[in-house]
Amino acid sequence: MNRINSKLKADKKLLSIYFTAGYPALENTVQIIQELEKNGVDMIEIGLPFSDPLADGPTIQASSTQALRNGMTTDKLFEQLVGIRNSVEIPLIIMGYFNPVFQYGVEAFCKKCQEIGIDGLILPDLPLDVYQEEYEAIFKKYGLINVFLITPQTSEARIREIDAASDGFIYMVSSASTTGTKEGFGDAQHTYFDRIANMKLNNPQIVGFGISNKSTFEQATNKAKGAIIGSAFIKHLKQNGPKKIDGFVAGIR
Amino acid sequence: MSYHVNEKGYYGEFGGAFIPEMLYPNTEELRQNYLRIMAEPSFQKEFHQLLKDYVGRPTPLYYAERMSKKYNTKIYLKREDLCHTGAHKVNNTIGQILMAKKLGKNRIIAETGAGQHGVATATVCALMGIECVVYMGEVDIARQAPNVARMKMLGAEVRPALSGSRTLKDATNEAIRDWINNPVDTHYIIGSVVGPHPYPDMVARFQAVISEEIKKQLQEKEGRENPDYVIACVGGGSNAAGAYYHYLDTPEVGIIAVEAAGKGIDTGESAATSALGKVGIIHGSKTLLMQTQDGQITEPYSISAGLDYPGVGPLHAHLYTSGRGEFISITDDEAMTAGLTLCQMEGIIPAIESSHGLAVFEQKTFKPDDVVVMNLSGRGDKDLQNYIDYFKL
Ligand SMILES: Cc1ncc(COP(=O)(O)O)c(C=O)c1O
């Protein structure tokens, strides 16, 4: 069974952390992954940096620009990740934009992911219909789970469609925003969390965007299976480098 | 074979809507409504009324006699430079502001490079009394001060794009991010035939008034609707899309697309996307774009800010790969010289973008009885500083 599916069966709320590969320094990737696992993080999203990250706010944009300046490339990331499964067991997901994957060749990319032990991909700008028509068979062939996003604006019909197309979890974007833009949750978010919970979807939901501390983590996971922290962790890396990750995680749960 | 968009939003293999789910409701609302709204008689009436009384259409189709003699062919200039605000861009912004109103939007965002589209957007927002935010790369704000001042006078807020290379592509990213953060009340007026479906098709339809007029005007002047060639410069490709639109499926009309070679295609300082680009995704569209081996989008260069875009619209990618269009690239120097030639032979100071189209007459020989329409997309006022610096005036 895919590591993501096993993890989703665990009887607890999941903490997933996003970081941009190659940031703050090019060679920090493996160390950050190992530290996160050691400190009890349940799942990791490894960001493949892109020059034009449309869905990201200033914090992740800046980390992507820096990572590219540091020399991060698709080949470099794969090179760093070879052997990662000797030391790390938690699910690893690559999150990025579609163009770098497309240039690498979708099949070659997926094959490489399988060799390394990557469990899934999140490519926000690969639309559902294109995925289903052109790439689903390839993802399946290499045992990769594709994770789709929903937002408070996503219609019920489309959420059902996305649920039917998913075989892991649904990435529930907490508000209409880019990453790291809105902090905290208001009534609108709580109504949305309740609405989605009441839909009784087949796939568990993991909430992302706007989660930065214990309080927002707890609110987000009140109904959902887990939550993803991105920009807040990037800010931590900016200040501390790949250190004091224990303290960061302890501050969340 | 048709060169128009298909029902799924593609031109051949190009186009589509490669957007994050956060944008799906926005583009979907537009996709479901744009054709219906555009077909409404009240929309058509208001659109054409404004084009006539406010923009000053139809723009003349001018027989350039001295140029025709010089190049021994029949050259007609479609005078988009005479549009209000100085370029074809306003045809699209008039259409889109009416669309935004029909969709019940009360806030407009736009991106701009040189500032022409920003000015055209700020203009229609002032006309309609609608709030307007224009994103512009920090680098471009410094380079294009007069257009920044124009936008401000027209009541728009100009927000600097501080990310990436801080030019047009980053301004476009910022506008898209704004739209993600304001999905309900805001309409994004994109400035060319780029972006996710239905933008390329919608913008092309608004610009199609150019070739609609050419047909009528050529009928009067030459007794036939079809020229032998239509020439237009291509940044994102909106003036070109408009000039070609009614001729796309008429193979006897030759389509010539002119890209900016910058300092030369092989110099690393160029914006000739068809020559240097590969298939990929930029701003939600699958098209040809300039990028690294790794799929990172690169920064183009041209003396003309309006042609300085690392992609082209999906229609043009299709015209290129299918062979329907002939793509020619023109260097900075060739364009500047051609621009000066037009000044001195016809008394018209062109935008540097349009000068790229004019330079084709130096490169390609037409037959004496060929009727060649060159779309003069804009006037040179905005480029005066560039001309001054280049020619040491
Ligand atoms: C006068 C003029 N021509 C051409 C362009 C290029 O845009 P497009 O290719 O969309 O017509 C611009 C863009 O700013 C412009 O101002």
Side-chain angles (χ1 to χ4, degrees), chain B residues 69-223:
Chain B
K69 279 220 180 72
K70 176 173 161 74
Y71 294 111
N72 195 25
T73 189
K74 291 174 139 175
I75 301 177
Y76 283 91
L77 300 176
K78 180 60 174 162
R79 298 290 308 274
E80 294 301 297
D81 60 315
L82 295 177
C83 288
H84 178 45
T85 70
H88 68 289
K89 295 279 178 190
V90 73
N91 302 328
N92 169 43
T93 61
I94 292 272
Q96 286 207 50
I97 197 79
L98 296 177
M99 180 66 63
K101 275 177 52 176
K102 291 271 186 191
L103 291 169
K105 308 291 174 179
N106 55 25
R107 179 173 176 271
I108 295 295
I109 53 171
E111 84 296 338
T112 197
Q116 281 308 104
H117 175 60
V119 168
T121 305
T123 298
V124 298
C125 287
L127 179 67
M128 299 295 172
I130 295 182
E131 181 188 346
C132 178
V133 174
V134 179
Y135 288 91
M136 188 169 187
E138 198 184 31
V139 172
D140 290 331
I141 288 180
R143 288 198 290 208
Q144 310 287 337
N147 272 343
V148 175
R150 283 187 186 102
M151 287 185 268
K152 288 184 178 165
M153 287 184 73
L154 292 161
E157 182 194 342
V158 180
R159 284 196 196 157
L162 304 171
S163 58
S165 48
R166 293 171 289 132
T167 59
L168 176 58
K169 90 177 165 72
D170 310 285
T172 308
N173 292 339
E174 286 306 327
I176 292 174
R177 289 179 187 123
D178 181 309
W179 210 21
I180 288 175
N181 285 288
N182 299 285
V184 180
D185 65 339
T186 298
H187 176 71
Y188 175 22
I189 300 192
I190 211 164
S192 192
V193 287
V194 300
H197 179 66
Y199 275 107
D201 184 48
M202 182 173 71
V203 176
R205 285 168 187 265
F206 288 139
Q207 293 292 359
V209 65
I210 299 173
S211 47
E212 194 184 306
E213 290 174 4
I214 295 173
K215 280 185 124 175
K216 280 201 205 101
Q217 293 166 321
L218 263 191
Q219 181 65 46
E220 279 168 25
K221 291 177 198 293
E222 291 284 334

Side-chain angles (χ1 to χ4, degrees), chain A residues 51-53 56 99 103 158, chain B residues 21 173 177 279 291 296-297:
Chain A
S51 55
D52 295 75
D56 287 301
N99 198 48
Q103 295 313 318
R158 186 152 171 95
Chain B
E21 190 65 27
N173 292 339
R177 289 179 187 123
V279 183
Q291 52 184 317
Q296 309 295 344
I297 300 174

Side-chain angles (χ1 to χ4, degrees), chain A residues 119 124 140 239:
Chain A
D119 306 292
K140 294 249 149 84
Q239 277 163 16

